[in-house]
Amino acid sequence: MQLRPFTLKEEVLQSRLLIGTGKFSDVSTMIEAVKASGTDLVTVALRRFNRSQAEDDLYGPLSSIEGLRLMPNTSGAMNAKEAIRAAQLGRELSKSPFVKLEIHPNPHHLLPDPIETYEAALELTKEGFIVLPYMPADPVLAKRLEEVGCAAVMPLGAAIGTGRGLATAEMLRIIIRDAEVPVIVDAGLRAPSEAAQAIEMGCDAVLVNSAIAAASHPVAMAAAFKQGVETGYAARTAGLMHTST
């Protein structure tokens, strides 16, 4: 079954798999994984838009992939002020309206700061960004971010890089139930089956980085995640049977 497109503001995406570009062993592997994933949208750290140094520039290689959209992220920002500045620089360098809003001031767990995330989203939406905030799986915060104009909400499945899957599943179900914007699981996924489960439960998309980049064969794993998302969407569309006691 072909995936039905979904929309982030005015931008239409064919794939429900978003990809991060960090942690790969080399740029060529990352590029091949992005292609194998079939993604429309990749997130890139601001420091990787360094066009003056080819070894630290992803803008050129990624821009060569037809139809691919770039989404600068604010990873490394410690507060709303730093995130806003990073987003502005990212848009200037990439010419992309997207920003993945990330504010995680504690390097020991990389959990998102809900207060600073909300403050930054409030300003960035006013500036016309298509804001996708990385956030705790908090239904109240999700609704507040939706209300200020975020194009989607991106609650974590588990902490970044842990591979603990959908540890926040119960909170995700509440967010999905109440959301009027796309819900994208960001962080924590380890296996394509977990991506399928997220789509089956009603998420609109998933964002994956470590599970692909840290796999023994990243390109093959990217293709597997593509299939996982497609399978989850096909199952949800087909209509899962109700459980009984």
Side-chain angles (χ1 to χ4, degrees):
M1 172 179 288
Q2 186 172 355
L3 297 181
R4 180 180 177 184
F6 76 107
T7 303
L8 298 173
K9 295 296 185 182
E10 69 276 9
E11 299 288 334
V12 178
L13 301 181
Q14 301 294 327
S15 173
R16 292 173 182 262
L17 175 60
L18 283 57
I19 298 293
T21 53
K23 304 182 181 180
F24 285 91
S25 59
D26 55 72
V27 172
S28 62
T29 299
M30 182 272 293
I31 292 296
E32 290 307 309
V34 168
K35 291 178 179 178
S37 75
T39 188
D40 295 303
L41 185 63
V42 298
T43 180
V44 186
L46 181 61
R47 64 181 179 82
R48 301 308 303 271
F49 284 104
N50 189 352
R51 300 183 200 175
S52 63
Q53 296 184 14
E55 68 275 11
D56 200 31
D57 173 46
L58 297 185
Y59 179 85
L62 289 169
S63 296
S64 68
I65 301 176
E66 185 177 356
L68 187 67
R69 299 169 175 86
L70 304 185
M71 177 167 61
N73 66 56
T74 65
S75 179
M78 303 291 284
N79 52 49
K81 182 178 180 180
E82 291 181 5
I84 291 167
R85 180 57 178 157
Q88 292 167 336
L89 288 171
R91 180 163 65 178
E92 181 179 340
L93 291 170
S94 69
K95 311 305 179 187
S96 171
F98 289 100
V99 61
K100 181 188 176 189
L101 177 57
E102 294 185 60
I103 304 176
H104 34 75
N106 190 324
H108 298 295
H109 54 61
L110 300 180
L111 293 174
D113 184 319
I115 296 172
E116 296 295 323
T117 297
Y118 177 82
E119 292 299 324
L122 192 63
E123 176 60 31
L124 291 172
T125 53
K126 291 178 182 176
E127 294 187 17
F129 284 90
I130 299 176
V131 180
L132 280 68
Y134 167 58
M135 54 167 284
D138 179 344
V140 176
L141 178 60
K143 183 54 66 174
R144 294 290 180 263
L145 290 168
E146 176 186 312
E147 289 171 348
V148 301
C150 289
V153 291
M154 298 208 301
L156 53 82
I160 290 176
T162 61
R164 295 187 179 274
L166 296 171
T168 61
E170 292 307 311
M171 293 298 102
L172 291 173
R173 289 188 178 94
I174 298 172
I175 293 171
I176 292 164
R177 182 195 68 193
D178 296 341
E180 296 181 20
V181 295
V183 177
I184 302 170
V185 170
D186 178 16
L189 300 185
R190 175 176 178 268
S193 58
E194 294 163 351
Q197 183 183 351
I199 301 296
E200 286 174 2
M201 70 192 296
C203 292
D204 295 276
V206 298
L207 195 156
V208 182
N209 188 177
S210 298
I212 294 174
S216 299
H217 303 285
V219 177
M221 186 61 76
F225 266 96
K226 178 179 185 290
Q227 293 170 358
V229 168
E230 291 171 349
T231 298
Y233 184 78
R236 190 175 88 199
T237 303
L240 296 163
M241 66 172 284
H242 294 292
T243 57
S244 61
T245 56

